[in-house]
Amino acid sequence: METSLQPTVMKFGGTSVEDAHAFERVARIVQSKLDARPVVVVSAMSRFTDALLASVDAAAGGDAEAATRSLGPQFERHMEVARNLLGTEERSEVWDAVETAKRKTSELLRIISQHPVTRPPLQDEIVSYGEQLSALLLSSLLTSNGLSARYVDARLSIVTGEEYGNASPIYEETERRTRQELLPLIEASVIPVMGGFIGASLKKATTTLGRGGSDFTAALVGACLSAREIEIWTDVTGVLTADPRVVEAARTIRLLSYSEAAELAYFGAKVLHPKTIQPAVERHIPVRICNSRAPEEAGTLVCFETEAAPRTVKAIAHKTGITTVQITSGRMLGAYGFLRAIFEIFDRHRTAVDVVTTSEVSVSLSLDDASALPAILEELKRLGEVEVEQGRAIICVVGEGLRSTPGIASWVFSNISDINVSLVSLGASSINLTFAVDEPHVREVVRRLHRAFFEQESEDERVKLAS
Ligand code: ADP
Ligand code: ASP
Ligand code: MG
């Protein structure tokens, strides 16, 4: 593509479109970037996806009426934004769309309550109204403000398999259709606005890409269009040195490598969806994380190279709700095929294993999603003695500098020597040190490590500590 036509994908998360003020901020940001040829991807208004999923739960429990009623205030939020911000013509278009969404979700909820087996595909259809409505609202607002913008139904562009709730894109077809839908608009200087998170199967059934999946949509669209940059606009200034809800002193990291960002996202830094980075890496597209409440602040730039100065630790991520499993067997001594037998069991039950450590006679591993565990345990017990612990957390210290810093693990653990840790693993890429603790300790551990790595008086002192 001619360089001047290379677009910039701008993705706005739910917190960036939570109410009329937030929508106005987003419209101003897009307007200020017209030269960059924006392609806009937007999430559902914050908390709407949660509400839609809760309504499906209520319907599956048999109460379709209550389920429908629970969505009333959410639809009203959209009406309110339209009332406050849109011109007459755009307003009536949005109101019609909200009325249709109300009617359709109500019908679908009734079907789920009567025939719970229909839930998986219908749930995705219901949930997709979140992104459909926010994208229509935003494109209408841009049009009302005099810009040339067009709502694009993401289901015409993102093609996926049929794993409802967590569908995988079919890359070639997605690329073909995304280019077909969006390039003519970009060439005509029209701003395409599409919902993130949603797609459609080859048979045209609506699907979703997993929670937080709008980031993934942005990365896919960016890769398909060879974008010059993918911008993830959220409610904090970039990727921070720790989750700001746990560490008040967390601060913005200016530059991250793709691998550092991928590790952080995977191990709980919610600001980026774990799969976001992959399509961007393959096409060498930089990803920038910016704050829609403070657009003037420089956020985080994720790209191929980063300064891998010795001893640089970039951030501490954590995730809770982890289950750890330990399999102990004398048969493991010198026996080959044992590890394969264990992993085949997890594979068969489509359960991803996060962290793995092995010793002479035992294998320990951690799981994010333990829903298939009862069936898995039945099979594991044939291989050895199995111990399960729930309510655990994974902490992950990330930085290219870990590679070249001998003794970092012992230094980390000396700061938390009174707390029990397990599953210690220096990741295969050597840029992450990962371990598990009991959930009640996780906040304390993250705070202490943050203090040790990032809150010492001076850089010198931190270096001395880490040496
Ligand atoms: P969006 O609605 O924009 O998708 P998310 O809620 O998915 O926003 O992600 C942003 C949130 O991620 C922040 O508000 C912050 O609380 C949380 N978060 C967790 N870890 C980090 C981190 N290391 N850096 C920045 N934000 C983080
Ligand atoms: N709205 C979806 C969710 O809440 C997708 C996203 O926000 O990225 O999970
Ligand atoms: Mg998100």
Side-chain angles (χ1 to χ4, degrees), residues 11 14 43-44 49 131 197 210-215:
K11 176 263 173 177
S43 294
T49 307
E131 269 69 11
F197 178 55
R211 293 305 307 267
S214 295
D215 295 344

Side-chain angles (χ1 to χ4, degrees), residues 11 13-15 233-236 238-240 242-245 268-271:
K11 176 263 173 177
T15 48
W233 290 83
T234 183
D235 64 343
V236 288
V239 181
L240 306 176
D243 185 334
R245 290 164 299 185
K270 196 185 164 212
V271 66

